[in-house]
Amino acid sequence: MVVALALSLAGLCWPAAAHASGCDSSVFNPITKVRWTCIFPITIGGIRIGSFDKLDKALDAQSASKPLCACRKGLTFWFGIKVSYWSPNRMVDVVTEPGCMMALGADLLPTRGKLQGSQSSISDGTNTRKMFAQMHYYISPVWKMLDLFTDLPCLQDDGFDVALVTEVLPTWQSATLGAIIQPEAVLFGNPAAGLACMGDSAAAAAGKVVDPLFWCMGSWGATYPIAGDIHFDDSVEAWAGLAARGTFMMGRLGALTISTSDGCAFKASPIWTKSRYKLQILEPVKGGKCVNIGRPGALWSSAKHAPGKDNAQFMLFEKVICCAGITVL
């Protein structure tokens, strides 16, 4: 009853569009869909394995300089060495067909033509366009699903689950409604904040991520408003922008965590640390590499939009720092 009511309210907040691509995905197969090279570089006790760029080098600096660690949780104490790696543990759908659960390979939320995605031109002389799409966020701990590295103490022991579907959120359908529960968005709707995002975009093009500018997503646009519409020139880049915005929203809802720098635990992350995440496109075309938040589409999105395929799926990799060692008590 609650879900049906929310869908009805959301349908009133956003007009239906005629365009829809259909739900034509298959059930998620981690072995074939995940780009496994994205877990690198791995740092074990200060020794790096695999290729790395400037951002990876900066993230691994603390693990490399302080390779030994000691942790305590309750009455349990352990010491060992720091291990850092990129962990595939979340998935995000960005769909123009509402209810299309791409990871499940099925349409599970019939909306009777409401909440459809759309694309439209903006008549302001900028030749830009606007996209609207729904977002689905999944908990998908691939290591746990494949029963790998289960002896690592910091491996998140969650099962596969659907954490959020925006079809039931009226605030995702309307930026105006979103501002009611995220009033801080008003602070970043000014020229000064916009100029800061231009700097963030330039940094993203150079392979860097500026974490303090949490309201910016590099070349993908602005984090606010936290809603399903986004301005774009490149549709693949727009998909990535909505996937990143959905990740940010999970933090604002209190459902996002990151590993602590000492490798002993996970802590809540109400404001995301952008450098800790990167995305790999799974559908409609499997990506050859992972990209940092805000990376310009001109550098990675070529040939990723198959004709007639307007639903996208991403694997979200998180940088994990873990204290792997021997338990004393």
Side-chain angles (χ1 to χ4, degrees):
M1 179 66 72
V2 174
V3 171
L5 178 59
L7 284 171
S8 299
L9 290 173
L12 293 175
C13 298
W14 194 271
H19 176 74
S21 62
C23 190
D24 50 5
S25 181
S26 57
V27 177
F28 173 64
N29 184 338
I31 296 176
T32 60
K33 282 197 172 186
V34 175
R35 183 63 65 182
W36 291 106
T37 54
C38 289
I39 69 174
F40 295 100
I42 299 173
T43 301
I44 303 175
I47 301 174
R48 296 188 182 93
I49 301 172
S51 61
F52 59 92
D53 55 24
K54 293 181 180 179
L55 178 60
D56 286 311
K57 187 175 181 179
L59 288 173
D60 289 338
Q62 188 169 14
S63 298
S65 62
K66 299 179 180 179
L68 301 180
C69 57
C71 301
R72 180 176 181 178
K73 186 175 182 180
L75 298 178
T76 303
F77 174 81
W78 72 94
F79 66 92
I81 60 175
K82 285 185 182 178
V83 178
S84 65
Y85 57 95
W86 289 96
S87 177
N89 56 14
R90 299 293 186 267
M91 279 192 302
V92 186
D93 293 343
V94 178
V95 298
T96 57
E97 179 67 22
C100 177
M101 311 297 289
M102 298 190 73
L104 306 178
D107 188 344
L108 299 183
L109 289 172
T111 58
R112 298 186 179 91
K114 302 291 185 181
L115 309 177
Q116 298 279 15
S118 65
Q119 294 184 17
S120 59
S121 298
I122 300 175
S123 57
D124 60 357
T126 61
N127 295 321
T128 58
R129 292 175 291 169
K130 192 175 186 180
M131 174 187 292
F132 174 79
Q134 303 292 344
M135 187 276 297
H136 308 144
Y137 190 92
Y138 305 87
I139 297 173
S140 52
V142 172
W143 300 130
K144 181 68 175 180
M145 294 164 67
L146 297 177
D147 199 25
L148 296 174
F149 307 119
T150 55
D151 56 337
L152 286 176
C154 55
L155 185 70
Q156 289 181 295
D157 193 17
D158 300 321
F160 183 89
D161 196 7
V162 180
L164 183 68
V165 291
T166 57
E167 286 87 341
V168 302
L169 292 179
T171 55
W172 184 263
Q173 323 307 322
S174 168
T176 303
L177 288 179
I180 296 175
I181 63 172
Q182 291 128 9
E184 74 274 12
V186 178
L187 299 175
F188 306 110
N190 58 73
L195 287 174
C197 286
M198 291 177 63
D200 189 52
S201 180
K208 300 178 181 179
V209 177
V210 184
D211 285 327
L213 300 179
F214 64 88
W215 64 91
C216 306
M217 300 188 297
S219 296
W220 300 351
T223 306
Y224 295 96
I226 307 178
D229 56 317
I230 189 170
H231 295 151
F232 76 103
D233 292 315
D234 180 347
S235 57
V236 179
E237 190 178 80
W239 291 338
L242 288 176
R245 186 178 288 174
T247 303
F248 177 79
M249 181 174 68
M250 294 303 293
R252 302 299 292 124
L253 294 175
L256 199 65
T257 61
I258 60 171
S259 55
T260 56
S261 59
D262 59 8
C264 294
F266 287 87
K267 64 179 181 180
S269 180
I271 298 296
W272 67 351
T273 304
K274 293 185 295 183
S275 60
R276 289 288 194 101
Y277 303 98
K278 60 183 180 180
L279 290 168
Q280 176 217 337
I281 188 169
L282 303 175
E283 296 283 355
V285 178
K286 182 178 178 180
K289 59 182 179 180
C290 289
V291 294
N292 301 320
I293 301 297
R295 188 73 166 164
L299 302 178
W300 64 274
S301 67
S302 177
K304 299 297 188 296
H305 191 172
K309 306 289 186 179
D310 290 329
N311 294 328
Q313 183 182 37
F314 293 88
M315 174 60 68
L316 180 67
F317 285 76
E318 178 190 344
K319 188 67 172 182
V320 174
I321 302 173
C322 178
C323 183
I326 301 172
T327 301
V328 178
L329 294 174

